[in-house]
Amino acid sequence: DRTTASSLAVQRDEDGKPIKKMVGKDRRNLYLKNEGRVSSSADGAGAASAGAKHGGVWEDLPTADRAKRERAFADKSTKLRSPLFFINPTRISIRNLGKHVNEAALKKLAFRALQTGLEQKLVTPKDAVAHWRAKGDLAHSEVMRRATDMNLVVPPVDEKNVKLSIPSVFVDRAVSEGQKAADAPSKGFGFVEFTHHAHALAALRQLNNNPAYSAEYAAGGNKAAEMQKRGKKSKKVKTDGKEGAEFLGEDGRVYLPRLIVEFAVENKVKARQQAEKVAQKEANKIKQKIDKRETGSKGKKTQKGRGSLQREKKRARKEEATKGKIDDNEEVEKIEEVTEEKPTKKQKMIKPPKKQKRNKDGLDDLINEYKSSFTKGISNAAVENEQASSTTANDRSSVAKRRWFE
């Protein structure tokens, strides 16, 4: 049959060598969707025994924890319906965290869980093969060869350098306006980024549904542990009103809350943008190191940060604004000086001559002298007659006797 012959035909490249078929890709890593789910006793004895290794089955969880896990799985399923979302194989999300757990405590917890998970051999070569097949960039023979090397299956961990295994940790916080992110209260969940998928898987399987971490890290775990201790001693558990009631089951047992751990679901576009930012930061660091080597640490000016440059620009703008105001004030003063000239030195005013007091006797003598200059050569008798006539002419005695109407 021709169809059978064509299906059995071996595809070869230009050199005549057979082309190795790649395993089908799972670019969205959907095979990790059920990782972190808690098995139920109804699933069979195998599921119950597997759940017992990690802290119990579904029925051992508090009612509040069951509701949280159901909501988380429903939210994940809704997102994965869209081709834009994928499961990040190196990033885990941790829910049901206590409010007191910060970034440093979460990083310490993740690294401790990683070490414990690797010691208990929670990651197998089968898990590594599933991860390499999902990538789709390796041939089947190469995948099988790598599965025999345990250093490739589970990369070694450097205990002295935690950042090599866990590059970043994030705790989501309810930040309000005018508040620093470090001071804001935690929302009760966070994310841990690992370098290798095997490390992330080991930490997930160690932390998820494990009551060993409940008292120290889970929300309400400390209170539930105290209630459990009191119940063992008195065989009766007493609750303080409503507080602690969510940890009690219908049978009167105290159920410890557990950490809810699963692989994070992310958006492709946002993840690409974030990866570009990280790559740019790394490139800048490498560039700075190269510049230091070329120029040398001595004599090189320290490069100013973004904040200091912005502050310098603000200062320059303020100085220009104040300088412009000063110039305007100077121009106004010059105009006022031109319009209203104020004498710098007081001008000496010339005083008018004082009025001399006239002496009446001296005036009479002066008049007489003046008159005598005209009467030179005239006899004294004539002068006397003239004076007498002037006196008679000016005599008002006769006039006073005669009146005009008479």
Side-chain angles (χ1 to χ4, degrees), residues 9-38:
V10 178
Q11 296 180 355
R12 299 180 180 274
D13 57 10
E14 295 177 355
D15 299 331
K17 295 180 180 180
I19 298 173
K20 296 178 181 179
K21 291 183 179 181
M22 302 295 179
V23 184
K25 291 183 181 180
D26 183 8
R27 293 180 181 177
R28 297 172 61 198
N29 301 307
L30 297 178
Y31 75 100
L32 296 171
K33 180 181 177 180
N34 292 323
E35 191 68 46
R37 294 204 75 185
V38 180

Side-chain angles (χ1 to χ4, degrees), residues 289-308:
K289 287 181 181 179
I290 293 169
D291 292 341
K292 282 183 180 179
R293 287 175 187 173
E294 290 178 354
T295 57
S297 59
K298 293 182 179 180
K300 186 183 176 184
K301 295 181 179 178
T302 56
Q303 190 175 2
K304 293 182 180 179
R306 182 177 165 190
S308 60

Side-chain angles (χ1 to χ4, degrees), residues 119-321:
E119 288 173 2
Q120 295 181 3
K121 296 181 180 180
L122 297 180
V123 179
T124 61
K126 186 178 179 181
D127 299 318
V129 168
H131 176 61
W132 291 329
R133 282 180 175 174
K135 281 186 174 181
D137 54 356
L138 297 174
H140 178 71
S141 58
E142 180 65 19
V143 170
M144 293 295 104
R145 187 192 67 78
R146 287 191 173 196
T148 57
D149 189 355
M150 289 306 296
N151 288 330
L152 294 176
V153 172
V154 181
V157 178
D158 188 0
E159 295 182 358
K160 295 181 180 179
N161 195 348
V162 180
K163 197 171 184 179
L164 286 177
S165 302
I166 305 174
S168 66
V169 173
F170 175 76
V171 175
D172 198 9
R173 298 178 181 274
V175 183
S176 57
E177 292 183 3
Q179 188 181 20
K180 292 182 180 179
D183 300 333
S186 172
K187 288 184 178 180
F189 68 91
F191 299 91
V192 182
E193 182 79 28
F194 290 87
T195 306
H196 303 286
H197 168 67
H199 293 173
L201 188 61
L204 185 151
R205 289 176 175 174
Q206 176 62 24
L207 289 174
N208 185 50
N209 191 29
N210 195 337
Y213 302 98
S214 297
E216 191 175 356
Y217 295 101
N222 192 15
K223 188 171 184 62
E226 289 178 359
M227 289 172 60
Q228 200 174 49
K229 287 179 183 178
R230 289 200 305 267
K232 286 181 179 178
K233 290 180 181 179
S234 62
K235 295 184 180 181
K236 288 183 180 180
V237 181
K238 295 180 181 180
T239 59
D240 301 332
K242 293 182 179 179
E243 293 184 2
E246 66 270 19
F247 307 127
L248 283 175
E250 294 178 357
D251 53 356
R253 286 174 55 197
V254 177
Y255 294 91
L256 289 174
R258 324 287 173 88
L259 295 176
I260 303 169
V261 189
E262 56 188 5
F263 284 103
V265 178
E266 297 181 0
N267 191 318
K268 286 184 179 180
V269 178
K270 291 183 179 179
R272 191 183 301 114
Q273 291 174 354
Q274 190 174 4
E276 288 174 358
K277 287 181 181 178
V278 172
Q280 186 64 37
K281 284 182 181 179
E282 293 296 328
N284 291 338
K285 285 181 182 178
I286 294 168
K287 188 179 179 182
Q288 287 176 2
K289 287 181 181 179
I290 293 169
D291 292 341
K292 282 183 180 179
R293 287 175 187 173
E294 290 178 354
T295 57
S297 59
K298 293 182 179 180
K300 186 183 176 184
K301 295 181 179 178
T302 56
Q303 190 175 2
K304 293 182 180 179
R306 182 177 165 190
S308 60
L309 292 172
Q310 288 179 350
R311 286 191 290 273
E312 282 185 1
K313 286 180 181 179
K314 277 187 179 180
R315 287 193 210 102
R317 285 198 293 269
K318 283 183 180 179
E319 287 176 1
E320 286 179 1

Side-chain angles (χ1 to χ4, degrees), residues 319-338:
E319 287 176 1
E320 286 179 1
T322 53
K323 192 176 179 181
K325 287 180 181 179
I326 291 166
D327 294 341
D328 293 341
N329 293 333
E330 287 178 356
E331 288 179 1
V332 171
E333 287 177 0
K334 286 179 182 178
I335 292 166
E336 288 178 354
E337 286 178 2
V338 172

